[in-house]
Amino acid sequence: MPLPNLAAPDSAAYRLATQWLYDRINYEKLARPGSHYRFTLDRMRDLITRIGLARYLAGQSDPADRTCFAEPSKSQAVADGLPQAKIVHIAGTKGKGSVATMTATMLAAQGYQVGLYTSPHLVELEERFQVNGRPAAREEMVALIDFMRPIVAQMSRDKIGGPSFFELTTAIAIEHFHRHDCDFWVLETGLGGRLDSTNVFQSDLTLITSIGLDHQHVLGDTVELIAKEKAGIFKPGVPAISGVTKPPARDVIRQAAADIGAPLLELERDFAIKQVTPQASLTEHGDWGSSFELVRNSASTNRSISPTSICLLMEGRHQIRNASLAVMGLDLLGSPASPAALAALATLQIDARLERFCLPTGTTVILDAAHNPDSIAALVATLQTRFTCQNVIGVFGTSVDKDAAVMLASLQPHLHHLVLTRYHGNPRFTPLETLSALAQQAGFQQQHPSPSKCYSQQEDPIAACTEAIAMAKPDGVVVVCGSFFLAAEVRPWLRERTVLAKRELE
């Protein structure tokens, strides 16, 4: 979990700076995604050049994007003795944020200065920009945004045009890491890969975590098309790792790596997960997490390596897969995971990734930002493993561009009752009347002819959680899922209630 932001209290300067940033075109908050999307890398390259960090830019792979820059390339900068960070670039339908955080956590535990850029943020904007687990301070945010203002003003007057919100936050992250002399930058793609703003940089390692159907309005409506977009982060000669094990997506990724000349290691071919064991008593509240062995194929690594024993506090088979990718990534970076790195991984809990809260009532709340069919399937697998004999109540809200029908159908067999809700901080929410119709299609009853498989509605997410907790009773479980935005609104409330419970026990 990130260290708390120790910045000064909120100020007028901070509010004005962040409002200016939020006023940029923000595709994360478009109520009607689809036709509004126009992704290109030329503007991002121009922005990075103007902030003076063009030496980190990769060679152009799209002839339609033509931006000239005068600074030396990354390899030339190294030859000239300039400080140069190594870049880890991560894409995937699910798991990319977890792999990014795991990678950054382990590298920091080995003594490196590590910048981590993820999106979206859960509660505070500064969460996107972390150095060794610490979000950017608010005074740093003001300085970074003020640094960008004249550059954006000039771009807006030029033919290139002003950058979007995500392009700006990416540039802010890079500038922040540069100011902190980071040894590594760990960059999570925002959407897709090939045309994502993070893809302008010359990476030293690329990872693809998984491929599934999500953001089809932008990336394509088949796993093959989505895999091709995400494999667009591969760079010639740069080692790559893939956690995709099933055709046809696996085959698309293999071919993309071969076409561009990226050496590729694959889960279940070049390394494997063995001896998975549920962890016992990892926390004061009982069983959670797991342990496993990571086995490398010596033929693919050109050396004999003993299996690595890994423990995780994070729950879920998918997190085991994510951890295996992160540990293999450190191998390819030339910094194999040390005992200190593995110890840091063993205590890591990422916000809203199957995050468990134990309330004063005795009720357990699982907060998960799962927002597509694949991540909901991972959540369901945990429900089947951990909570088969308990009363499980769901709280669900999602965005208009997500496949709510499939997610609700997956959840239905595992929930005794469902509370539908929405969130307030983003206009992309799915209206309750739409969710109601989809819940009925999934098999939930609007009335109460039986004690289970019914649903209700609450406009306010906190009211929805309150209703679900009352239904679950002391020995029950509440699962909140469907959206990052829903998780963001609920998590501060859950944390406050959990802190109160701990104080009562002291």
Side-chain angles (χ1 to χ4, degrees):
M1 180 177 174
L3 293 172
N5 192 334
L6 302 179
D10 197 4
S11 66
Y14 174 80
R15 290 193 299 272
L16 288 171
T18 53
Q19 187 57 56
W20 176 85
L21 181 60
Y22 282 124
D23 284 343
R24 305 308 97 192
I25 298 173
N26 188 352
Y27 294 116
E28 293 176 10
K29 290 195 173 186
L30 285 178
R32 296 178 180 273
S35 61
H36 298 276
Y37 283 85
R38 180 185 176 271
F39 294 108
T40 180
L41 297 184
D42 55 351
R43 189 170 53 243
M44 188 66 205
R45 290 194 186 99
D46 186 84
L47 176 57
I48 296 302
T49 300
R50 290 177 193 243
I51 69 174
L53 294 174
R55 66 179 180 272
Y56 285 102
L57 294 174
Q60 298 173 25
S61 59
D62 185 349
D65 287 330
R66 305 179 186 278
T67 303
C68 296
F69 46 89
E71 285 199 24
S73 66
K74 187 175 180 181
S75 58
Q76 184 61 51
V78 172
D80 292 343
L82 296 175
Q84 197 72 19
K86 289 187 176 181
I87 299 175
V88 181
H89 195 196
I90 304 169
T93 300
K94 67 180 182 68
K96 60 184 184 292
S98 293
V99 172
T101 304
M102 291 173 175
T103 301
T105 297
M106 289 191 289
L107 286 169
Q110 296 188 162
Y112 295 107
Q113 188 87 335
V114 185
L116 172 65
Y117 176 55
T118 59
S119 62
H121 60 274
L122 197 62
V123 179
E124 301 290 345
L125 175 68
E126 296 82 53
E127 296 168 19
R128 298 181 185 230
F129 322 104
Q130 296 185 26
V131 174
N132 285 9
R134 187 181 296 274
R138 290 194 164 184
E139 55 266 29
E140 289 180 304
M141 290 302 303
V142 173
L144 289 163
I145 292 171
D146 285 348
F147 171 72
M148 295 291 173
R149 283 176 183 263
I151 297 171
V152 171
Q154 184 61 54
M155 290 178 68
S156 299
R157 289 191 292 267
D158 293 346
K159 184 178 180 180
I160 194 75
S164 68
F165 172 82
F166 188 75
E167 289 166 344
L168 263 177
T169 58
T170 302
I172 287 170
I174 299 312
E175 178 65 20
H176 182 56
F177 302 158
H178 178 66
R179 293 182 181 188
H180 280 266
D181 296 321
C182 287
D183 304 300
F184 289 91
W185 301 350
V186 181
L187 309 180
E188 176 195 3
T189 59
L191 179 63
R194 181 177 64 91
L195 293 178
D196 188 78
S197 298
T198 58
N199 201 33
V200 299
F201 302 107
Q202 180 57 52
S203 54
D204 296 272
L205 172 68
T206 57
L207 298 97
I208 297 181
T209 58
S210 66
I211 298 296
L213 293 175
D214 197 14
H215 298 294
Q216 294 98 309
H217 58 286
V218 179
L219 304 179
D221 55 7
T222 67
V223 293
E224 294 96 328
L225 289 173
I226 293 173
K228 186 174 182 180
E229 286 295 314
K230 293 186 186 294
I233 69 171
F234 292 159
K235 304 291 188 298
V238 174
I241 297 175
S242 173
V244 181
T245 59
K246 295 180 180 179
R250 179 199 63 195
D251 302 328
V252 171
I253 290 170
R254 280 182 183 175
Q255 189 60 52
D259 289 345
I260 204 168
L264 179 67
L265 294 185
E266 292 183 317
L267 178 62
E268 295 184 4
R269 184 188 70 179
D270 303 296
F271 58 100
I273 296 162
K274 302 292 184 184
Q275 298 181 2
V276 177
T277 306
Q279 200 67 277
S281 300
L282 268 174
T283 73
E284 59 188 294
H285 303 295
D287 297 347
W288 204 243
S290 56
S291 61
F292 69 99
E293 285 193 346
L294 175 63
V295 180
R296 300 160 176 85
N297 179 349
S298 59
S300 64
T301 56
N302 295 319
R303 58 193 176 110
S304 178
I305 303 178
S306 300
T308 301
S309 296
I310 300 171
C311 292
L312 296 178
L313 176 59
M314 297 184 70
E315 179 65 29
R317 176 82 188 198
H318 60 298
Q319 295 295 7
I320 293 173
R321 293 167 60 90
N322 291 337
S324 72
L325 300 178
V327 172
M328 288 299 300
L330 263 63
D331 282 0
L332 295 187
L333 288 169
S335 302
S338 66
L342 295 177
L345 186 61
T347 59
L348 177 65
Q349 171 61 59
I350 304 175
D351 296 349
R353 266 68 163 195
L354 281 170
E355 186 177 10
R356 183 167 63 164
F357 297 86
C358 296
L359 303 184
T361 60
T363 306
T364 297
V365 178
I366 305 300
L367 180 66
D368 195 35
H371 57 276
N372 57 47
D374 285 346
S375 54
I376 289 291
L379 168 61
V380 165
T382 298
L383 297 180
Q384 291 175 306
T385 302
R386 296 293 190 183
F387 306 117
T388 53
C389 299
Q390 291 174 272
N391 182 31
V392 182
I393 310 298
V395 175
F396 182 87
T398 195
S399 300
V400 292
D401 59 328
K402 304 301 179 184
D403 198 339
V406 172
M407 291 191 282
L408 289 170
S410 297
L411 288 166
Q412 194 270 354
H414 310 283
L415 302 180
H416 291 82
H417 184 92
L418 175 67
V419 185
L420 300 172
T421 190
R422 46 160 288 188
Y423 41 82
H424 302 291
N426 191 302
R428 287 172 53 195
F429 67 85
T430 302
L432 287 182
E433 55 268 26
T434 302
L435 288 180
S436 176
L438 294 174
Q440 292 179 51
Q441 292 176 20
F444 290 98
Q445 304 291 321
Q446 188 169 18
Q447 302 303 318
H448 294 264
S450 64
S452 64
K453 304 304 178 187
C454 299
Y455 77 93
S456 54
Q457 302 178 51
Q458 288 282 357
E459 283 279 343
D460 181 70
I462 302 303
C465 289
T466 301
E467 178 182 330
I469 290 167
M471 286 181 162
K473 300 180 180 178
D475 60 346
V477 178
V478 172
V479 178
V480 184
C481 62
S483 171
F484 265 100
F485 305 115
L486 176 62
E489 294 194 22
V490 168
R491 189 174 186 276
W493 181 79
L494 288 172
R495 284 193 66 190
E496 181 181 358
R497 291 174 65 87
T498 305
V499 168
L500 290 173
K502 288 182 178 179
R503 287 174 180 168
E504 291 175 2
L505 292 172
E506 292 175 351

